[in-house]
Amino acid sequence: QVQVVESGGGLVQAGGSLRLSCAASGRTFSNYAMGWFRQAPGKDRECVAAINWSGHSTYNADSVKGRFTISRANAKNTVYLQMNSLKPEDTAVYYCAAVPNLSERYYTLEHEYYYWGQGTQVTVSS
């Protein structure tokens, strides 16, 4: 199995930027498709971005399209979420997740992922 640990969350003003990192350990990172999810208080967890094992296929939710970018560095066992033009509605706990897969597809559903991090809080003030 693989362990994933998120970092980079914090408090930022609306319009600002943050970069989240997810460091993986335990197995071959490049064998895994990765995803970033978020959960705001009282809401369901939702996928905001996903990426296949090679980085060639990516997904962004409509709510973050044009503002968030997912990328990965397999040599560093790390996946990133660059978040720009942040809005108060982006406030949530952000989770990194991993699923073993070597196809060109990414995954956007919570139940498709095998491994999860503990989450990192992102708070955007207005």
Side-chain angles (χ1 to χ4, degrees), residues 21-42:
S21 298
C22 171
S25 62
R27 299 295 292 266
T28 304
F29 177 69
S30 59
N31 289 351
Y32 290 79
M34 304 295 294
W36 283 100
F37 288 72
R38 69 184 181 188
Q39 187 167 24

Side-chain angles (χ1 to χ4, degrees), residues 9-77:
L11 174 64
V12 64
Q13 287 188 331
S17 298
L18 283 175
R19 187 175 82 158
L20 304 184
S21 298
C22 171
S25 62
R27 299 295 292 266
T28 304
F29 177 69
S30 59
N31 289 351
Y32 290 79
M34 304 295 294
W36 283 100
F37 288 72
R38 69 184 181 188
Q39 187 167 24
K43 294 188 176 181
D44 293 335
R45 193 175 299 189
E46 63 169 342
C47 180
V48 296
I51 191 166
N52 81 314
W53 74 271
S54 66
H56 291 161
S57 298
T58 61
Y59 162 85
N60 283 300
D62 287 344
S63 58
V64 305
K65 202 163 291 184
R67 300 188 298 121
F68 290 12
T69 302
I70 188 171
S71 61
R72 65 189 297 159
N74 286 345
K76 296 183 178 180
N77 291 353

Side-chain angles (χ1 to χ4, degrees), residues 97-119:
V99 55
N101 189 276
L102 288 173
S103 73
E104 290 305 305
R105 66 163 297 185
Y106 47 73
Y107 297 83
T108 62
L109 300 178
E110 187 175 355
H111 73 266
E112 294 177 312
Y113 283 86
Y114 288 24
Y115 308 108
W116 292 83
Q118 294 300 306

